[in-house]
Amino acid sequence: MLNDPQGAALCSVVLEFLEVAVHTVLFTRGIYHKDAFERVRAFNTYCRRSRHPELNSYISSTISRLRPLIESGHLRELAVLVLDSRSSVVERVSFCTQLLISSALDQAQQAQGGVDVDALEAGLGSALLKLQFIDSLLKPLPQGCTFELAAYSTSRSGVDTQYFGQESSGALELRQPVTGTPLKTVCVPGCINMQVLVEEAARG
């Protein structure tokens, strides 16, 4: 459990990244019209953020509820699921995240001032850049696609059952465990290990 201030701050950074990353995926894949997004700067990178209040609220509230799962180390994956007009998943962008910081930083980290913030920001910024070019890895989407956010946890502890529940079917699954194409790995020793993967279903 990340009870120390540095761990809590790192969790906040990861949550901020995930929120920006979701907006980036929606813009890049054209889930909504390009004009519905504005240009913003995050992690020393220019990217896009939705202008739509209801969409922004859905993304923000969903991401914020992941905090206890990240702090406890139980979050296995956050996935952006792209669904076609029949509600079948045609694409998936996954963020498999593990925070490595403990409640007491080791002596080497303390001597260096703790987490390497520059390396962390550079790694997350690089992941955002990669997300802006996922079109080169994926087929064009069919018309009328929507999206959902799905979180996968290794434990029910800390899960808000009002918003998250156990899946009763495989309708939102492409494959488990995640076996998508690696897009970017962000690894900062003693801090974070994150894999960003993209996956698409076979289409007729």
Side-chain angles (χ1 to χ4, degrees):
M1 184 74 175
L2 301 177
N3 293 319
D4 63 293
Q6 185 136 28
L10 175 58
C11 183
S12 295
V13 170
V14 172
L15 291 170
E16 178 186 357
F17 166 79
L18 291 174
E19 186 169 346
V20 175
V22 170
H23 284 271
T24 301
V25 171
L26 299 182
F27 173 80
T28 302
R29 296 304 286 148
I31 305 300
Y32 300 99
H33 196 278
K34 304 291 187 184
D35 291 343
F37 293 80
E38 60 185 348
R39 192 171 185 242
V40 297
R41 186 172 176 83
F43 300 97
N44 284 326
T45 303
Y46 284 107
C47 47
R48 302 284 178 165
R49 178 182 175 84
S50 160
R51 302 175 188 268
H52 197 287
E54 291 184 8
L55 174 59
N56 294 354
S57 177
Y58 165 66
I59 296 172
S60 178
S61 62
T62 301
I63 297 298
S64 67
R65 291 187 179 97
L66 298 179
R67 178 178 285 275
L69 296 178
I70 294 176
E71 289 180 338
S72 64
H74 292 149
L75 182 68
R76 184 183 68 184
E77 173 196 352
L78 173 70
V80 182
L81 303 174
V82 180
L83 299 90
D84 63 16
S85 58
R86 298 172 297 176
S87 297
S88 297
V89 178
V90 292
E91 279 183 13
R92 171 178 176 156
V93 181
S94 301
F95 302 89
C96 304
T97 304
Q98 179 186 16
L99 299 192
L100 305 176
I101 196 168
S102 65
S103 59
L105 292 173
D106 62 38
Q107 293 182 354
Q109 285 181 301
Q110 291 183 24
Q112 297 172 5
V115 171
D116 188 338
V117 177
D118 290 340
L120 177 61
E121 188 169 77
L124 296 177
S126 179
L128 288 177
L129 283 174
K130 287 280 190 178
L131 287 171
Q132 295 180 45
F133 295 97
I134 56 176
D135 281 351
S136 63
L137 300 174
L138 301 167
K139 301 181 183 72
L141 288 172
Q143 293 292 321
C145 283
T146 57
F147 85 101
E148 288 185 5
L149 297 178
Y152 301 90
S153 173
T154 58
S155 170
R156 296 182 183 181
S157 176
V159 174
D160 188 339
T161 55
Q162 181 180 354
Y163 297 97
F164 300 105
Q166 186 172 355
E167 284 192 15
S168 59
S169 71
L172 296 181
E173 302 284 347
L174 282 176
R175 286 191 296 272
Q176 283 293 335
V178 177
T179 56
T181 302
L183 181 70
K184 177 68 179 178
T185 297
V186 179
C187 184
V188 179
C191 177
I192 189 173
N193 185 17
M194 175 189 292
Q195 281 191 310
V196 183
L197 306 102
V198 295
E199 184 178 3
E200 60 184 346
R203 303 183 202 173

